[in-house]
């Protein structure tokens, strides 16, 4: 049974991985959306930056994890450092702490990333995915995207906003990501390229961790995903089911409709 | 002469396009000439005595070019420029055609070319400028230009092939730009900003693009940060550091905003390189009128409107801080995502808006108005958003509505993206520029 606790009693620590190095495509917008949607409901939030200076105790307190996109040079700096935090991050994901990794981030959390020039970068292997950069001559996969969430773990939460499961975003990636045997896709593209421009899949999900190529940023125009992450964070932390108070999503719906209309999709 | 027919027909095409009002007719002749002869620009310039200045960088190209052109004309120089928006090879070819004399030479003492970031390496293969002025590299239109480090690497490579006759005019405060001068034998002049003159009122500025050393990837440390990644920097690892600027101060700036101090210093460094007398430089800057859309004042229905082109996080933040320092109360933001604006508008979330609630009325228009509205809502909170922000579907109605809120002496400050600026100007002046 759903139990309503006084929202005030909830407190979440949102961990932002490498905010300086991995903040290329308005990623601050994803953090702001999580933070404000908690605060507007009286849920206390602390944003904890996880970077080169962080220690293991910082990571242990994280209730929701986020990482954004990085430029190639920054990505190679991050990957060297990320290995230090590998065990703790893996522990968080395994105990069902929700996470969102967008743009370049999923590449780091997959099995490996093969850049167009230079050595193959081994990722943390949390997602069973492989990413290969097709080389500077191959075209980047760029443009507005509209997709439908197909991942049952996310859809079954029965969030009104997620009902149609339609999400919008913008993609811009040279890398092509392929799902392995154990990987479950996050969504299927209706318009756009998605993981590789071939099989129609977009993103990947493992436990409560979502990887996605969509920025835009993703959460402001798709607040249902933000609410799903917040719900999962509370459920995991307080071992309690929770129903978040509804918020007015009119502006995000209108922003979403502009893209849907342009791509000829009815919401 | 091989190119002669191309020039004659090019001039005719340009006239034809203008008469029929075919819009951007200014790049057609160049486009055709280059299609018929790839080496057109190189061959054309071989015999020319015109001094060529190339300006590149993310922000400030047009203002800096205008400052330079204005000063050179002040000094009775004959100056030609590529037209706004015509900043690819075909734009240069067109400019050459339009200003060629009957003998095939160029009818000008100076040619000032603004060049798009991506096209600079292509242009430097065809043109050997007297001076190459590099302003800055900020994050801008990642979908079109790509990452700034990638652009930086391409620039560095093409500069290594540059003739030693070209003087480099470089921003000492932008690590990636200063890096362009490293290990080159070319003559170099640096411009920057003197720290003690600058008070940083806005310490929390910007998403950082380039706080890592372009030479060794080490972390940069700043003795003083002006905005974004500009400042007095040094690499802890390889000791690469900000070169001493040759120009870092001026007494009377023609336009408000810290970024315009950089543009002014850049122009002065270049004019000094051209051996212009200090008194003439000063006088010309005093008489300067801004280029369209760059802090331009327009009177519309007896109301005052000022336009501040704001096309990426840095230029948006700088515009916002500049107008707030002028005590602005009424703001109209126009957000478009057409090709000249960049299709990806995620950059709006990288802007700093912590002073946004100082505005009384905020109007939002453009193709992606609701995205900007959403950005404002998350910044301001629900109540503040509802009382101050109005989303307008149609730009003309938006402008009318916004000016109806102005009290007598108030100014409507407009922060548009590039195509938004062109649309707004057309409404305000009744004319098209391009």
């Amino acid at each position: 049974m759903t139990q309503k606790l006084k929202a005030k009693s909830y407190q979440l620590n949102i961990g932002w991985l490498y905010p300086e190095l991995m903040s290329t495509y308005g990623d601050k917008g994803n953090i702001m959306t999580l933070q404000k949607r908690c605060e507007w409901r009286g849920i206390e939030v602390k944003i904890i930056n996880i970077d080169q200076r962080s220690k293991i105790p910082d990571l242990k307190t994280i209730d929701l994890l986020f990482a954004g996109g990085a430029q190639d040079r920054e990505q190679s700096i991050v990957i060297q450092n990320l290995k230090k935090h590998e065990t703790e991050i893996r522990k968080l994901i395994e105990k069902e702490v929700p996470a969102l990794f967008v743009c370049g981030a999923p590449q780091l959390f997959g099995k490996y990333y093969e850049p167009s020039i230079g050595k193959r970068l081994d990722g943390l292997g949390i997602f069973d995915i492989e990413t290969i950069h097709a080389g500077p001559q191959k075209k980047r996969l760029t443009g507005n995207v509209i997709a439908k969430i197909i991942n049952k773990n996310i859809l079954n939460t029965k969030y009104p906003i997620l009902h149609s499961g339609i999400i919008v975003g913008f993609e811009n990636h040279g890398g092509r990501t392929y799902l392995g045997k154990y990987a479950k896709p996050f969504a299927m593209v209706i318009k756009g390229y998605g993981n590789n421009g071939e099989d129609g899949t977009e993103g990947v999900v493992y436990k409560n961790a979502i990887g996605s190529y969509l920025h835009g940023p993703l959460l402001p125009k798709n607040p249902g995903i933000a609410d799903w992450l917040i719900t999962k964070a509370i459920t995991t932390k307080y071992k309690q089911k929770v129903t978040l108070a509804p918020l007015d999503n009119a502006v995000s719906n209108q922003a979403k409709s502009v893209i849907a209309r342009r791509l000829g999709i009815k919401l | 002469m091989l190119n002669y027919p191309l020039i004659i027909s090019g001039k005719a095409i340009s006239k034809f396009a203008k008469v029929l009002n075919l819009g951007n007719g200014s790049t057609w002749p160049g486009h055709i000439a280059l299609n018929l002869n790839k080496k057109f620009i190189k061959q054309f310039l071989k015999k020319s005595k015109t001094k060529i200045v190339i300006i590149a960088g993310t922000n400030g190209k047009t203002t800096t070019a205008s400052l330079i052109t204005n000063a050179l004309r002040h000094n009775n120089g004959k100056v030609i420029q590529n037209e706004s928006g015509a900043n690819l090879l075909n734009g240069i070819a067109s400019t050459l055609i339009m200003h060629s004399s009957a003998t095939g030479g160029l009818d000008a003492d100076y040619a000032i070319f603004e060049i798009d970031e991506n096209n600079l390496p292509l242009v430097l293969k065809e043109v050997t400028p007297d001076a190459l002025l590099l302003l800055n590299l900020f994050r801008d239109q990642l979908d079109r230009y790509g990452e700034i480090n990638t652009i930086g690497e391409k620039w560095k490579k093409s500069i290594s092939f540059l003739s030693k006759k070209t003087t480099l005019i470089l921003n000492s405060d932008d690590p990636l730009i200063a890096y362009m001068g490293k290990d080159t034998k070319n003559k170099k002049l640096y411009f920057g900003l003197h720290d003690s003159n600058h008070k940083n009122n806005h310490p929390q500025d910007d998403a950082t693009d380039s706080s890592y050393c372009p030479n060794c990837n080490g972390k940069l440390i700043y003795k003083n940060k002006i905005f974004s990644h500009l400042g007095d920097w040094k690499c802890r690892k390889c000791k690469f550091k900000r070169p001493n600027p040759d120009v870092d101060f001026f007494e009377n700036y023609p336009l408000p905003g810290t970024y315009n101090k950089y543009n002014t210093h850049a122009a002065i460094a270049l004019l000094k390189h051209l051996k212009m007398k200090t008194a003439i430089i000063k006088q010309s800057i005093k008489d300067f009128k801004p280029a369209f859309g760059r802090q331009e004042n327009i009177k519309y229905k007896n109301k005052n409107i000022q336009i501040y082109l704001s096309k990426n996080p840095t230029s948006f933040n700088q515009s916002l801080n500049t107008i707030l320092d002028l005590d602005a109360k009424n703001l109209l933001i126009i957000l478009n995502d057409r090709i000249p604006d960049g299709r990806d508008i995620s950059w709006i979330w990288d802007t700093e808006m912590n002073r946004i609630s100082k505005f009384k009325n905020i109007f939002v228009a453009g193709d992606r108005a609701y995205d900007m509205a959403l950005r404002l809502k998350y910044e301001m909170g629900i109540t503040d958003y509802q009382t101050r922000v109005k989303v307008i579907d149609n730009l003309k109605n938006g402008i009318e509505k916004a000016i109806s809120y102005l009290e007598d002496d108030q100014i409507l400050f407009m922060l548009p993206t590039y195509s938004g600026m062109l649309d707004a100007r057309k409404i305000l002046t009744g004319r098209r520029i391009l």
Side-chain angles (χ1 to χ4, degrees), chain A residues 24 28 36 73 221 262, chain B residues 139 217 337 351 371 378:
Chain A
T24 306
K28 194 173 74 178
K36 293 290 166 85
R73 183 169 67 178
K221 279 200 288 296
R262 210 188 272 181
Chain B
R139 232 203 78 175
N217 265 356
D337 64 348
T351 57
D371 277 87
Y378 275 100

Side-chain angles (χ1 to χ4, degrees), chain A residues 20-21 24-26 28-29 32 36-37 52 71-73 172 215 217 220-221 248 254 259 262, chain B residues 139 142-143 147 149 212 217 219 337 343-344 346 349-351 368 370-371 374-375 377-379:
Chain A
E20 273 183 37
L21 288 161
T24 306
Y25 300 100
K28 194 173 74 178
M32 282 177 81
K36 293 290 166 85
R37 293 183 79 82
Q52 300 95 310
Q71 306 193 28
D72 271 351
R73 183 169 67 178
N172 180 4
H215 63 270
K221 279 200 288 296
D248 176 6
Q254 275 158 321
I259 293 305
R262 210 188 272 181
Chain B
R139 232 203 78 175
L142 290 158
D143 56 318
E147 302 170 346
N149 299 325
Y212 287 83
N217 265 356
K219 180 106 176 121
D337 64 348
R343 309 306 307 259
D344 181 4
S346 61
W349 293 87
D350 286 323
T351 57
R368 301 295 294 270
Y370 286 104
D371 277 87
L374 197 55
R375 171 74 181 91
K377 184 181 163 183
Y378 275 100
E379 185 75 35

